[in-house]
Amino acid sequence: MSRQVVVLDYGSGNLRSAQRALARVGADVEVTADADAVLECDGLAVPGVGAFAACMSGLRAVGGDKLIARRIELGRPVLGICVGMQVLFTAGVEHGIWTAGCGAWPGTVERLDAGVLPHMGWNTVAAAPGSVLFAGIAPGTRFYFVQSYALREAGAGELAAAGARISWTEQGEPFAAAAEHGVLWATQFHPEKSGDAGAALLSNWLETL
């Protein structure tokens, strides 16, 4: 049976690519901010590109932050992608400006301490033990990243202590490439730009819905 997935429409630039990628793996996908559709679908995908503050502004404009919180309360799956992962945390700091996030996960998204930024291109991920997102995906598989900010290892202790499965990658320093905690899962990389590997990961998520 086809799973109903909503890609939350709040003006992000990668909505349609996320829609196509999810449809490719068999989801029945709608791009909308309609509250009933967002709350009732089998899975909600929250993409995001660009600045943390701009994404949070767009989310709040359509009530997306409250809808995400409500889905989590209801035990309904949510998948964040790229900045759609970042906004799930308590806050983000960009160019010295602190912006409140959705607060679904503890932690602050910060600029990576790396010689080359943005972190752009293909990189491997060390999957968390027991990860469902990376099930059946071979170690050393590369995924596509584009970002300068992330949840750094030093700031991930509280999320890890809460029992989240955190998968890691490195650009100058380790940072969270993905996290799975209850019904809330997310990737810092772009599965929709990661070819067959990204499709396998999205399929793994879809199978849990």
Side-chain angles (χ1 to χ4, degrees):
M1 183 176 66
S2 179
R3 297 300 186 185
Q4 303 288 323
V5 174
V6 163
V7 175
L8 184 57
D9 185 1
Y10 67 98
S12 176
N14 60 335
L15 298 173
R16 297 301 171 182
S17 57
Q19 177 188 28
R20 288 191 296 270
L22 285 158
R24 174 188 172 189
V25 296
D28 183 358
V29 191
E30 181 181 8
V31 178
T32 184
D34 177 78
D36 289 338
V38 168
L39 294 176
E40 293 171 8
C41 62
D42 296 312
L44 174 68
V46 184
V49 293
F52 185 104
C55 284
M56 278 307 306
S57 178
L59 271 178
R60 291 195 180 99
V62 299
D65 52 339
K66 294 181 174 62
L67 291 171
I68 291 167
R70 183 59 181 152
R71 272 193 71 90
I72 295 169
E73 289 175 3
L74 294 170
R76 314 294 311 265
V78 177
L79 177 69
I81 297 172
C82 196
V83 184
M85 173 177 180
Q86 296 179 6
V87 296
L88 299 174
F89 290 100
T90 304
V93 178
E94 291 188 359
H95 309 294
I97 299 172
W98 185 96
T99 303
C102 291
W105 280 337
T108 299
V109 172
E110 302 174 288
R111 184 176 175 88
L112 294 172
D113 184 8
V116 177
L117 289 174
H119 173 223
M120 183 182 299
W122 298 86
N123 206 341
T124 57
V125 174
S131 169
V132 178
L133 275 177
F134 292 93
I137 297 174
T141 297
R142 294 180 179 271
F143 295 87
Y144 191 78
F145 291 81
V146 183
Q147 101 285 351
S148 298
Y149 299 82
L151 181 72
R152 301 164 69 190
E153 185 177 35
E158 194 175 347
L159 181 60
R165 294 185 295 258
I166 305 177
S167 300
W168 299 96
T169 195
E170 188 167 327
Q171 174 74 358
E173 63 176 324
F175 66 89
E180 302 161 55
H181 188 215
V183 296
L184 184 57
W185 297 6
T187 66
Q188 176 60 68
F189 55 85
H190 287 275
E192 79 280 10
K193 296 180 180 179
S194 296
D196 291 344
L201 183 140
L202 291 175
S203 182
N204 284 342
W205 179 66
L206 206 62
E207 288 175 11
T208 69
L209 304 183

